[in-house]
mmCIF file of all heavy atoms in Angstrom:
data_model
loop_
_atom_site.group_PDB
_atom_site.id
_atom_site.type_symbol
_atom_site.label_atom_id
_atom_site.label_comp_id
_atom_site.label_asym_id
_atom_site.label_seq_id
_atom_site.Cartn_x
_atom_site.Cartn_y
_atom_site.Cartn_z
ATOM 1 N N GLY B 1 106.108 99.958 82.228
ATOM 2 C CA GLY B 1 105.985 101.103 83.112
ATOM 3 C C GLY B 1 105.644 102.371 82.473
ATOM 4 O O GLY B 1 105.839 102.689 81.299
ATOM 5 N N VAL B 2 104.832 103.127 83.258
ATOM 6 C CA VAL B 2 104.351 104.403 82.882
ATOM 7 C C VAL B 2 104.887 105.450 83.799
ATOM 8 O O VAL B 2 104.893 105.303 85.068
ATOM 9 C CB VAL B 2 102.763 104.489 82.875
ATOM 10 C CG1 VAL B 2 102.243 105.725 82.454
ATOM 11 C CG2 VAL B 2 102.211 103.318 81.920
ATOM 12 N N GLY B 3 105.291 106.582 83.313
ATOM 13 C CA GLY B 3 105.605 107.677 84.144
ATOM 14 C C GLY B 3 106.957 108.357 83.876
ATOM 15 O O GLY B 3 107.227 109.420 84.389
ATOM 16 N N GLY B 4 107.655 107.878 82.947
ATOM 17 C CA GLY B 4 109.003 108.433 82.573
ATOM 18 C C GLY B 4 109.817 108.743 83.864
ATOM 19 O O GLY B 4 110.276 107.875 84.501
ATOM 20 N N ALA B 5 110.050 110.153 84.158
ATOM 21 C CA ALA B 5 110.850 110.397 85.278
ATOM 22 C C ALA B 5 110.247 110.023 86.548
ATOM 23 O O ALA B 5 111.000 109.972 87.531
ATOM 24 C CB ALA B 5 110.956 111.889 85.292
ATOM 25 N N ALA B 6 108.954 109.574 86.564
ATOM 26 C CA ALA B 6 108.438 109.208 87.709
ATOM 27 C C ALA B 6 108.545 107.643 87.930
ATOM 28 O O ALA B 6 107.840 106.878 88.704
ATOM 29 C CB ALA B 6 106.907 109.564 87.796
ATOM 30 N N ALA B 7 109.666 107.021 87.363
ATOM 31 C CA ALA B 7 110.170 105.709 87.669
ATOM 32 C C ALA B 7 109.097 104.756 87.119
ATOM 33 O O ALA B 7 108.758 103.788 87.991
ATOM 34 C CB ALA B 7 110.435 105.702 89.128
ATOM 35 N N GLY B 8 108.731 104.638 85.973
ATOM 36 C CA GLY B 8 107.974 103.598 85.381
ATOM 37 C C GLY B 8 108.623 102.285 85.514
ATOM 38 O O GLY B 8 107.941 101.283 85.589
ATOM 39 N N GLU B 9 110.034 102.335 85.424
ATOM 40 C CA GLU B 9 110.756 101.014 85.507
ATOM 41 C C GLU B 9 110.617 100.422 86.974
ATOM 42 O O GLU B 9 110.698 99.232 86.976
ATOM 43 C CB GLU B 9 112.290 101.350 85.079
ATOM 44 C CG GLU B 9 112.998 102.128 86.007
ATOM 45 C CD GLU B 9 113.011 103.566 85.708
ATOM 46 O OE1 GLU B 9 112.073 104.047 85.008
ATOM 47 O OE2 GLU B 9 113.914 104.364 86.209
ATOM 48 N N VAL B 10 110.513 101.247 87.928
ATOM 49 C CA VAL B 10 110.327 100.709 89.378
ATOM 50 C C VAL B 10 108.997 100.029 89.400
ATOM 51 O O VAL B 10 108.758 98.910 89.940
ATOM 52 C CB VAL B 10 110.480 101.748 90.357
ATOM 53 C CG1 VAL B 10 110.037 101.270 91.804
ATOM 54 C CG2 VAL B 10 111.873 102.349 90.313
ATOM 55 N N ALA B 11 107.930 100.715 88.880
ATOM 56 C CA ALA B 11 106.612 100.131 88.890
ATOM 57 C C ALA B 11 106.541 98.765 88.125
ATOM 58 O O ALA B 11 106.004 97.811 88.569
ATOM 59 C CB ALA B 11 105.508 101.079 88.330
ATOM 60 N N SER B 12 107.067 98.724 86.895
ATOM 61 C CA SER B 12 106.921 97.518 86.127
ATOM 62 C C SER B 12 107.822 96.412 86.809
ATOM 63 O O SER B 12 107.355 95.256 86.777
ATOM 64 C CB SER B 12 107.435 97.763 84.627
ATOM 65 O OG SER B 12 108.839 98.014 84.596
ATOM 66 N N ALA B 13 109.024 96.730 87.196
ATOM 67 C CA ALA B 13 109.863 95.612 87.703
ATOM 68 C C ALA B 13 109.278 95.106 89.027
ATOM 69 O O ALA B 13 109.289 93.909 89.287
ATOM 70 C CB ALA B 13 111.267 96.213 88.009
ATOM 71 N N THR B 14 108.653 95.948 89.885
ATOM 72 C CA THR B 14 108.108 95.551 91.126
ATOM 73 C C THR B 14 106.907 94.657 90.920
ATOM 74 O O THR B 14 106.710 93.632 91.448
ATOM 75 C CB THR B 14 107.711 96.653 92.017
ATOM 76 O OG1 THR B 14 108.832 97.476 92.211
ATOM 77 C CG2 THR B 14 107.032 96.309 93.253
ATOM 78 N N ALA B 15 106.101 95.089 89.955
ATOM 79 C CA ALA B 15 104.890 94.220 89.540
ATOM 80 C C ALA B 15 105.148 92.982 89.030
ATOM 81 O O ALA B 15 104.602 91.801 89.353
ATOM 82 C CB ALA B 15 103.943 95.139 88.700
ATOM 83 N N ALA B 16 106.190 93.023 88.014
ATOM 84 C CA ALA B 16 106.494 91.744 87.363
ATOM 85 C C ALA B 16 107.150 90.722 88.473
ATOM 86 O O ALA B 16 106.819 89.502 88.483
ATOM 87 C CB ALA B 16 107.492 91.980 86.261
ATOM 88 N N TYR B 17 108.061 91.345 89.344
ATOM 89 C CA TYR B 17 108.509 90.469 90.384
ATOM 90 C C TYR B 17 107.447 89.834 91.310
ATOM 91 O O TYR B 17 107.614 88.599 91.644
ATOM 92 C CB TYR B 17 109.695 91.189 91.249
ATOM 93 C CG TYR B 17 109.915 90.526 92.442
ATOM 94 C CD1 TYR B 17 110.658 89.333 92.504
ATOM 95 C CD2 TYR B 17 109.329 91.062 93.715
ATOM 96 C CE1 TYR B 17 110.735 88.700 93.580
ATOM 97 C CE2 TYR B 17 109.537 90.302 94.811
ATOM 98 C CZ TYR B 17 110.351 89.108 94.765
ATOM 99 O OH TYR B 17 110.459 88.470 96.072
ATOM 100 N N VAL B 18 106.561 90.699 91.785
ATOM 101 C CA VAL B 18 105.655 90.176 92.837
ATOM 102 C C VAL B 18 104.790 89.182 92.214
ATOM 103 O O VAL B 18 104.617 88.120 92.831
ATOM 104 C CB VAL B 18 104.860 91.363 93.382
ATOM 105 C CG1 VAL B 18 103.773 90.738 94.278
ATOM 106 C CG2 VAL B 18 105.655 92.271 94.281
ATOM 107 N N VAL B 19 104.320 89.382 90.955
ATOM 108 C CA VAL B 19 103.449 88.414 90.385
ATOM 109 C C VAL B 19 104.184 87.060 90.049
ATOM 110 O O VAL B 19 103.721 85.916 90.393
ATOM 111 C CB VAL B 19 102.824 88.978 89.120
ATOM 112 C CG1 VAL B 19 102.105 87.894 88.291
ATOM 113 C CG2 VAL B 19 101.947 90.136 89.394
ATOM 114 N N ALA B 20 105.330 87.184 89.402
ATOM 115 C CA ALA B 20 106.156 85.960 89.113
ATOM 116 C C ALA B 20 106.456 85.195 90.408
ATOM 117 O O ALA B 20 106.326 83.926 90.494
ATOM 118 C CB ALA B 20 107.343 86.244 88.362
ATOM 119 N N ALA B 21 106.973 85.913 91.435
ATOM 120 C CA ALA B 21 107.413 85.290 92.604
ATOM 121 C C ALA B 21 106.120 84.527 93.343
ATOM 122 O O ALA B 21 106.434 83.460 93.972
ATOM 123 C CB ALA B 21 108.052 86.223 93.613
ATOM 124 N N THR B 22 104.971 85.162 93.355
ATOM 125 C CA THR B 22 103.896 84.661 94.003
ATOM 126 C C THR B 22 103.432 83.358 93.226
ATOM 127 O O THR B 22 103.125 82.412 93.868
ATOM 128 C CB THR B 22 102.727 85.687 93.985
ATOM 129 O OG1 THR B 22 103.052 86.800 94.741
ATOM 130 C CG2 THR B 22 101.500 85.125 94.678
ATOM 131 N N ALA B 23 103.485 83.376 91.910
ATOM 132 C CA ALA B 23 103.077 82.293 91.153
ATOM 133 C C ALA B 23 104.014 81.143 91.303
ATOM 134 O O ALA B 23 103.627 80.001 91.463
ATOM 135 C CB ALA B 23 103.004 82.597 89.611
ATOM 136 N N LEU B 24 105.266 81.403 91.401
ATOM 137 C CA LEU B 24 106.293 80.297 91.733
ATOM 138 C C LEU B 24 106.074 79.732 93.077
ATOM 139 O O LEU B 24 106.073 78.458 93.192
ATOM 140 C CB LEU B 24 107.659 80.802 91.506
ATOM 141 C CG LEU B 24 108.193 81.256 90.166
ATOM 142 C CD1 LEU B 24 109.563 81.933 90.185
ATOM 143 C CD2 LEU B 24 108.188 79.964 89.282
ATOM 144 N N ALA B 25 105.819 80.511 94.017
ATOM 145 C CA ALA B 25 105.642 80.051 95.479
ATOM 146 C C ALA B 25 104.339 79.293 95.691
ATOM 147 O O ALA B 25 104.231 78.416 96.445
ATOM 148 C CB ALA B 25 105.678 81.313 96.400
ATOM 149 N N ARG B 26 103.424 79.589 94.774
ATOM 150 C CA ARG B 26 102.027 78.813 95.053
ATOM 151 C C ARG B 26 101.694 78.013 93.789
ATOM 152 O O ARG B 26 100.571 77.735 93.547
ATOM 153 C CB ARG B 26 100.966 80.057 95.194
ATOM 154 C CG ARG B 26 101.086 80.811 96.329
ATOM 155 C CD ARG B 26 99.969 81.794 96.646
ATOM 156 N NE ARG B 26 98.683 81.014 96.733
ATOM 157 C CZ ARG B 26 97.468 81.690 96.786
ATOM 158 N NH1 ARG B 26 97.456 82.950 96.813
ATOM 159 N NH2 ARG B 26 96.400 80.882 96.621
ATOM 160 N N PHE B 27 102.743 77.437 93.182
ATOM 161 C CA PHE B 27 102.455 76.555 92.137
ATOM 162 C C PHE B 27 101.523 75.269 92.537
ATOM 163 O O PHE B 27 101.764 74.767 93.601
ATOM 164 C CB PHE B 27 103.729 75.975 91.541
ATOM 165 C CG PHE B 27 103.562 74.963 90.517
ATOM 166 C CD1 PHE B 27 103.104 75.313 89.214
ATOM 167 C CD2 PHE B 27 103.654 73.593 90.721
ATOM 168 C CE1 PHE B 27 102.922 74.168 88.310
ATOM 169 C CE2 PHE B 27 103.504 72.591 89.899
ATOM 170 C CZ PHE B 27 103.055 72.950 88.533
ATOM 171 N N GLY B 28 100.634 75.071 91.715
ATOM 172 C CA GLY B 28 99.548 74.010 92.008
ATOM 173 C C GLY B 28 98.337 74.591 92.599
ATOM 174 O O GLY B 28 97.283 73.823 92.617
ATOM 175 N N ASP B 29 98.358 75.867 93.149
ATOM 176 C CA ASP B 29 97.069 76.396 93.680
ATOM 177 C C ASP B 29 96.200 76.897 92.398
ATOM 178 O O ASP B 29 96.604 76.970 91.339
ATOM 179 C CB ASP B 29 97.326 77.602 94.540
ATOM 180 C CG ASP B 29 98.052 77.187 95.914
ATOM 181 O OD1 ASP B 29 98.038 75.958 96.092
ATOM 182 O OD2 ASP B 29 98.380 78.028 96.623
ATOM 183 N N ASP B 30 95.044 77.243 92.670
ATOM 184 C CA ASP B 30 94.103 77.797 91.697
ATOM 185 C C ASP B 30 94.730 78.893 90.985
ATOM 186 O O ASP B 30 95.055 80.045 91.651
ATOM 187 C CB ASP B 30 92.752 78.157 92.335
ATOM 188 C CG ASP B 30 91.833 78.660 91.206
ATOM 189 O OD1 ASP B 30 92.120 79.650 90.533
ATOM 190 O OD2 ASP B 30 90.620 78.083 91.025
ATOM 191 N N PRO B 31 95.094 78.904 89.563
ATOM 192 C CA PRO B 31 95.809 79.916 88.976
ATOM 193 C C PRO B 31 94.993 81.330 89.054
ATOM 194 O O PRO B 31 95.686 82.330 88.956
ATOM 195 C CB PRO B 31 96.062 79.362 87.577
ATOM 196 C CG PRO B 31 95.114 78.438 87.441
ATOM 197 C CD PRO B 31 94.835 77.753 88.727
ATOM 198 N N ALA B 32 93.767 81.268 89.076
ATOM 199 C CA ALA B 32 92.962 82.504 89.027
ATOM 200 C C ALA B 32 93.093 83.182 90.313
ATOM 201 O O ALA B 32 93.349 84.399 90.422
ATOM 202 C CB ALA B 32 91.543 82.232 88.662
ATOM 203 N N GLU B 33 93.039 82.352 91.439
ATOM 204 C CA GLU B 33 93.194 82.877 92.691
ATOM 205 C C GLU B 33 94.654 83.474 92.936
ATOM 206 O O GLU B 33 94.784 84.446 93.541
ATOM 207 C CB GLU B 33 92.839 81.836 93.898
ATOM 208 C CG GLU B 33 91.401 81.486 93.796
ATOM 209 C CD GLU B 33 91.093 80.393 94.876
ATOM 210 O OE1 GLU B 33 92.073 80.059 95.670
ATOM 211 O OE2 GLU B 33 90.061 79.950 94.931
ATOM 212 N N VAL B 34 95.657 82.754 92.329
ATOM 213 C CA VAL B 34 96.953 83.077 92.498
ATOM 214 C C VAL B 34 97.177 84.496 91.823
ATOM 215 O O VAL B 34 97.867 85.428 92.341
ATOM 216 C CB VAL B 34 97.928 82.049 91.905
ATOM 217 C CG1 VAL B 34 99.411 82.672 91.683
ATOM 218 C CG2 VAL B 34 97.951 80.809 92.752
ATOM 219 N N LEU B 35 96.492 84.652 90.643
ATOM 220 C CA LEU B 35 96.738 85.987 89.917
ATOM 221 C C LEU B 35 96.136 87.106 90.620
ATOM 222 O O LEU B 35 96.731 88.139 90.758
ATOM 223 C CB LEU B 35 96.176 85.818 88.438
ATOM 224 C CG LEU B 35 97.039 85.291 87.404
ATOM 225 C CD1 LEU B 35 96.312 85.033 86.089
ATOM 226 C CD2 LEU B 35 98.092 86.386 87.135
ATOM 227 N N VAL B 36 94.951 86.844 91.234
ATOM 228 C CA VAL B 36 94.196 87.970 91.953
ATOM 229 C C VAL B 36 95.020 88.314 93.113
ATOM 230 O O VAL B 36 95.356 89.536 93.310
ATOM 231 C CB VAL B 36 92.777 87.451 92.291
ATOM 232 C CG1 VAL B 36 92.112 88.548 93.209
ATOM 233 C CG2 VAL B 36 91.925 87.262 91.138
ATOM 234 N N ARG B 37 95.577 87.324 93.866
ATOM 235 C CA ARG B 37 96.322 87.667 95.069
ATOM 236 C C ARG B 37 97.610 88.349 94.722
ATOM 237 O O ARG B 37 98.098 89.343 95.224
ATOM 238 C CB ARG B 37 96.658 86.467 95.852
ATOM 239 C CG ARG B 37 97.397 86.639 97.194
ATOM 240 C CD ARG B 37 96.858 87.732 98.066
ATOM 241 N NE ARG B 37 97.747 88.083 99.115
ATOM 242 C CZ ARG B 37 97.773 87.454 100.278
ATOM 243 N NH1 ARG B 37 96.991 86.351 100.444
ATOM 244 N NH2 ARG B 37 98.622 87.632 101.249
ATOM 245 N N ALA B 38 98.242 87.820 93.615
ATOM 246 C CA ALA B 38 99.591 88.365 93.224
ATOM 247 C C ALA B 38 99.393 89.799 92.721
ATOM 248 O O ALA B 38 100.259 90.651 93.141
ATOM 249 C CB ALA B 38 100.065 87.508 92.137
ATOM 250 N N VAL B 39 98.409 90.139 92.098
ATOM 251 C CA VAL B 39 98.282 91.601 91.563
ATOM 252 C C VAL B 39 97.813 92.431 92.770
ATOM 253 O O VAL B 39 98.205 93.630 92.807
ATOM 254 C CB VAL B 39 97.235 91.544 90.365
ATOM 255 C CG1 VAL B 39 96.829 92.955 90.039
ATOM 256 C CG2 VAL B 39 97.795 90.865 89.185
ATOM 257 N N GLU B 40 97.065 91.942 93.694
ATOM 258 C CA GLU B 40 96.785 92.733 94.879
ATOM 259 C C GLU B 40 98.117 93.104 95.708
ATOM 260 O O GLU B 40 98.364 94.277 96.090
ATOM 261 C CB GLU B 40 95.823 92.031 95.814
ATOM 262 C CG GLU B 40 94.446 91.829 95.373
ATOM 263 C CD GLU B 40 93.621 91.058 96.250
ATOM 264 O OE1 GLU B 40 94.108 90.373 97.178
ATOM 265 O OE2 GLU B 40 92.327 91.024 96.056
#
């Protein structure tokens, strides 16, 4: 996370959660497509 008082920990935790959860939910799908959608 970047931002210090601007809550870098919220940005990093949210991004890590969404990407991990999306990958778990879509296991077996094309991993490149999974990553692109997860990061979006």
Side-chain angles (χ1 to χ4, degrees):
V2 180
E9 66 271 22
V10 174
S12 71
T14 299
Y17 162 69
V18 172
V19 170
T22 301
L24 290 174
R26 295 186 55 183
F27 174 73
D29 291 354
D30 182 301
E33 293 181 4
V34 169
L35 270 170
V36 170
R37 176 57 184 274
V39 172
E40 288 175 350

